[in-house]
Amino acid sequence: MPTYRAPRGTRDLLPDERAAFRRLETIASMLARRYGYREIETPMFEDAAVFERGVGAVTDVVEKELFRIARRTEEGDSWALRPEPTAGIVRAYIEHGMQTWPQPVKLTMTGPMFRHDRPQAGRFRQFWQFDIEAIGDPGPAIDAEIIELGRAFYRLAGLDDVEVLLNSIGDAACRPAYIKTLIAYFEPHAAELPALERERLHKNPMRLLDSKDPAMAELNAAAPRISDLLCEPCRIHFAAVREHLEALGITYRIEPGLVRGLDYYTRTAFEFFVPGREGGQQALGGGGRYDGLVELLGGHPTPGIGFGLGLDRIVIALEARAGEARQELEGAPVAVVVGADPAATAVRLKVATDLRAAGIAARADLGRRKLGKQLESAARDRAHFVVIIGDELADGNVQLKDLDAGSQQLVALADLARKLVSGERSHRHGGGDA
Ligand code: AMP
């Protein structure tokens, strides 16, 4: 038993898994650029009030899951690790006067989030999100564009059958009346409600609708739907979002129980699911419109919309598809430099250094072991080529062995980098030797 382990609910991403995350980060960054989103990086912790106000005090995320950092009395501050990116990004939008920039301000950030949740499959205390925010656009067209961007991300990641669940949760004009209707509907059943739901009935009744408690299923199925009670502007907005999605050929399902866990959402709310897993706890990602948030955090009233797509669950979903999407393992060197004279490490190091300076992923075998052992280790590394240094070096030559083809040729040291570049290219494209 090791003395220390990663904290409960966290895990080390070992190189193969880290490579899977890196691949998703690369797709995220490429797509974000393509859609006109620029990168921002906010601190991993904020004044806890940013989340308490911005996410909402009566949400799981703040009530139960916020990772609070011990108060430093001399500063009187209270901090918390970010449980989600939107509140921090909106805080930055206000702090840096981004209201004066051309609107909408389109921002993206990919990084770890922290929730002190009960750990279980697909639910971690540190997890990664690809986040997109468009602040300053009231929609509805951008709502559809963002949903389409989310779907494009999943498709490139290798999940091309992700389902879109959509709802409108109204706004400050129509939600208060809906909440009253909802309380009136649940109140006669208060005694039968599970404890958590009973406690929330008056504080945040919409959360009852996405309760995971099976005891709620029947009551929820018959609950009044906000889509029937939207005010005229919200109804028009929702219809327009749907029209734009249809124009893009995006299929979606209206899900009246989709209310999202965070208080700041208005109107459009959406989630992405692996088909067959809707309704469970395991959304792949989600987002929505937050037209009240900028004002709530002290800025001028400004509409906004965004999403957070969890990377962990994509990696898990891809792994579950029986190796189907197992990528070629990253990090294998193109070439390993080995030598007949085990002691001649300086020359091997020099050759590998020159290859790396020429842009080739190369390593030298720097152990003082026999040539046979060096070759075995190069094969284990999944290198495509070995460069063997022997007596030919006196004439400025080395042996270049193609491990996949099994062929070997004498190559001038001066020509080695060029040969490796063209050899690697034909390897990648399924061609012949160097
Ligand atoms: P949320 O803001 O709760 O809708 O989260 C957005 C996405 O982040 C979810 O759909 C998940 O993919 C991911 N996510 C949220 N919480 C966790 C968690 N505890 N562990 C892993 N992924 C999470």
Side-chain angles (χ1 to χ4, degrees):
M1 275 286 278
T3 312
Y4 297 110
R5 293 172 168 276
R8 200 164 114 79
T10 72
R11 68 227 193 274
D12 302 303
L13 302 180
L14 300 185
D16 281 350
E17 201 177 0
R18 186 66 189 90
F21 273 74
R22 173 68 67 204
R23 176 176 156 272
L24 297 179
E25 288 164 351
T26 305
I27 296 170
S29 128
M30 180 273 292
L31 270 184
R33 189 166 339 113
R34 194 184 287 172
Y35 282 70
Y37 289 79
R38 300 191 63 207
E39 257 191 273
I40 185 170
E41 198 68 48
T42 63
M44 289 197 202
F45 63 94
E46 297 270 352
D47 205 328
V50 169
F51 305 122
E52 286 158 353
R53 297 219 72 195
V55 177
V58 191
T59 55
D60 285 352
V61 165
V62 167
E63 217 172 27
K64 300 194 293 186
E65 299 166 6
L66 208 55
F67 260 102
R68 293 178 186 274
I69 299 176
R71 177 187 267 271
R72 307 288 292 247
T73 45
E74 71 274 19
E75 297 180 54
D77 288 333
S78 164
W79 296 309
L81 296 181
R82 62 184 186 201
E84 57 85 51
T86 310
I89 291 178
V90 167
R91 191 264 313 137
Y93 174 89
I94 299 165
E95 181 176 340
H96 302 286
M98 294 188 213
Q99 267 120 337
T100 63
W101 297 10
Q103 306 289 302
V105 176
K106 294 163 85 179
L107 300 169
T108 183
M109 182 166 84
T110 299
M113 306 297 149
F114 306 86
R115 293 184 193 176
H116 198 277
D117 210 348
R118 193 166 55 81
Q120 51 187 287
R123 195 165 286 271
F124 306 101
R125 290 180 168 171
Q126 175 174 344
F127 58 96
W128 276 256
Q129 276 191 1
F130 163 37
D131 185 71
I132 282 283
E133 309 291 349
I135 309 177
D137 187 327
I142 197 153
D143 304 35
E145 185 183 61
I146 281 188
I147 293 170
E148 190 277 326
L149 165 54
R151 244 195 22 159
F153 176 70
Y154 290 117
R155 187 161 330 110
L156 287 176
L159 297 172
D160 45 16
D161 49 358
V162 161
E163 273 201 296
V164 180
L165 267 52
L166 182 71
N167 196 19
S168 170
I169 55 173
D171 67 4
C174 52
R175 200 153 47 190
Y178 174 67
I179 285 176
K180 274 200 195 122
T181 311
L182 205 55
I183 293 177
Y185 168 77
F186 282 118
E187 239 166 5
H189 304 279
E192 316 145 34
L193 296 179
L196 180 68
E197 280 66 18
R198 195 162 49 232
E199 197 188 305
R200 283 183 171 159
L201 174 56
H202 290 276
K203 292 200 280 184
N204 192 351
M206 282 173 78
R207 291 304 316 278
L208 271 61
L209 297 175
D210 68 354
S211 167
K212 306 296 181 275
D213 198 313
M216 294 297 295
E218 210 175 304
L219 261 183
N220 277 342
R225 300 179 162 201
I226 188 157
S227 44
D228 299 331
L229 296 165
L230 293 176
C231 58
E232 194 59 6
C234 282
R235 202 189 54 72
I236 292 171
H237 186 274
F238 192 34
V241 172
R242 294 190 332 246
E243 269 166 36
H244 281 84
L245 286 173
E246 279 148 30
L248 290 173
I250 292 183
T251 46
Y252 58 86
R253 223 180 58 219
I254 306 270
E255 177 48 66
L258 173 58
V259 296
R260 306 275 303 145
L262 316 181
D263 275 358
Y264 57 62
Y265 284 104
T266 52
R267 295 189 170 173
T268 312
F270 56 90
E271 280 188 339
F272 298 100
F273 280 88
V274 171
R277 304 208 55 175
E278 321 79 0
Q281 306 217 354
Q282 302 262 307
L284 279 177
R289 179 160 281 289
Y290 46 83
D291 293 347
L293 182 58
V294 178
E295 192 177 7
L296 194 67
L297 290 180
H300 302 295
T302 310
I305 182 166
F307 65 50
L309 311 185
L311 302 189
D312 308 70
R313 291 181 190 169
I314 302 179
V315 171
I316 293 170
L318 289 171
E319 273 167 3
R321 295 188 175 187
E324 175 194 315
R326 265 261 167 244
Q327 300 96 43
E328 179 160 337
L329 294 168
E330 286 176 29
V334 170
V336 175
V337 182
V338 303
D341 174 4
T345 49
V347 63
R348 295 203 286 280
L349 177 58
K350 174 77 169 84
V351 171
T353 303
D354 290 347
L355 289 177
R356 289 189 289 244
I360 295 161
R363 76 164 178 87
D365 196 308
L366 298 177
R368 294 168 172 246
R369 46 189 177 179
K370 292 213 173 83
L371 180 58
K373 292 277 179 212
Q374 296 179 40
L375 286 168
E376 273 172 30
S377 149
R380 259 203 315 274
D381 266 8
R382 301 177 299 252
H384 286 157
F385 298 95
V386 273
V387 176
I388 307 167
I389 297 178
D391 297 339
E392 308 89 340
L393 189 65
D395 303 322
N397 295 322
V398 293
Q399 293 286 346
L400 179 59
K401 186 175 164 93
D402 182 326
L403 285 180
D404 292 349
S407 57
Q408 189 165 319
Q409 55 178 318
L410 195 68
V411 171
L413 199 50
D415 238 10
L416 183 62
R418 198 182 52 76
K419 284 268 187 202
L420 279 172
V421 169
S422 71
E424 183 57 11
R425 198 172 298 133
S426 63
H427 257 291
R428 260 188 275 121
H429 298 120
D433 304 342

